Amino acid sequence: MFTSVLMIEKPLTPEDVEFVTTLHGEEDISFIVLMQPRGDQADLLLRAIDDVALGELKEAVREGDEPEGQDAKGPADLALEHSLGALRAAGCEAVGQVVEDHPLDKLKSVVDESGADEVIVLTAPHYVEEFFHRDWASRARHKVGVPVLKLFAHSE
């Protein structure tokens, strides 16, 4: 069975589920989902700049209203459960956890412990971080020792 570690920051949409579950054709896939809630890892200014770059000016204004830190834990738990259920409904094995500190350190330990075949980073575009290679996928490529695939999540 092929094992993918899937890093996400929001619940998977049906399009996301179809996308990640069909990447390897008919091969059976097992997912280990790492849900990173918003918090100290996500910079409010960078998120607002990304929103402006995408032409989503109303979203840029609302960035300050998004829950962060401990307030984001409850929504992250729900997003993880939703995503695991969707992957299982698509016929895949799926386990996961909410990442509370140092997402890339957690990613490395999960890859090492599970013997994962790949990492899929499925996030919204983060243009500023990507430009400076500070996004999860760019940093993970130098850390995990398996192929890292960067995909953009679908909007709801």
Side-chain angles (χ1 to χ4, degrees):
M1 179 168 296
F2 195 85
T3 301
S4 293
V5 177
L6 178 60
M7 286 191 77
I8 61 174
E9 60 186 1
K10 65 178 195 155
L12 296 176
T13 65
E15 293 85 1
D16 294 331
V17 172
E18 181 178 355
F19 198 26
V20 299
T21 59
T22 59
L23 282 172
H24 299 289
E26 299 297 316
E27 190 164 2
D28 290 334
I29 303 174
S30 171
F31 287 98
I32 302 169
V33 181
L34 299 179
M35 173 71 197
Q36 172 65 48
R38 297 182 107 151
D40 295 335
Q41 306 298 327
D43 185 320
L44 178 64
L45 177 60
L46 292 178
R47 291 194 316 254
I49 291 171
D50 286 338
D51 289 337
V52 171
L54 290 169
E56 297 173 354
L57 300 178
K58 290 181 182 178
E59 292 298 319
V61 172
R62 287 191 283 250
E63 283 295 343
D65 298 336
E66 291 290 325
E68 295 190 5
Q70 284 301 325
D71 293 337
K73 176 89 168 74
D77 287 333
L78 291 174
L80 176 62
E81 288 306 314
H82 165 81
S83 298
L84 293 174
L87 290 168
R88 290 174 187 144
C92 298
E93 290 183 16
V95 297
Q97 61 185 287
V98 173
V99 178
E100 297 193 31
D101 294 311
H102 310 291
L104 292 174
D105 292 340
K106 181 54 140 178
L107 175 63
K108 171 116 176 83
S109 68
V110 168
V111 167
D112 290 346
E113 292 168 12
S114 68
D117 298 294
E118 72 179 357
V119 170
I120 300 172
V121 177
L122 184 70
T123 67
H126 298 292
Y127 295 115
V128 174
E129 292 174 337
E130 289 167 22
F131 180 78
F132 291 106
H133 303 285
R134 300 300 306 154
D135 59 299
W136 289 343
S138 295
R139 293 180 355 196
R141 286 186 181 106
H142 302 287
K143 191 166 187 124
V144 298
V146 297
V148 176
L149 180 60
K150 164 87 176 183
L151 300 175
F152 290 125
H154 290 80
S155 297
E156 297 179 67

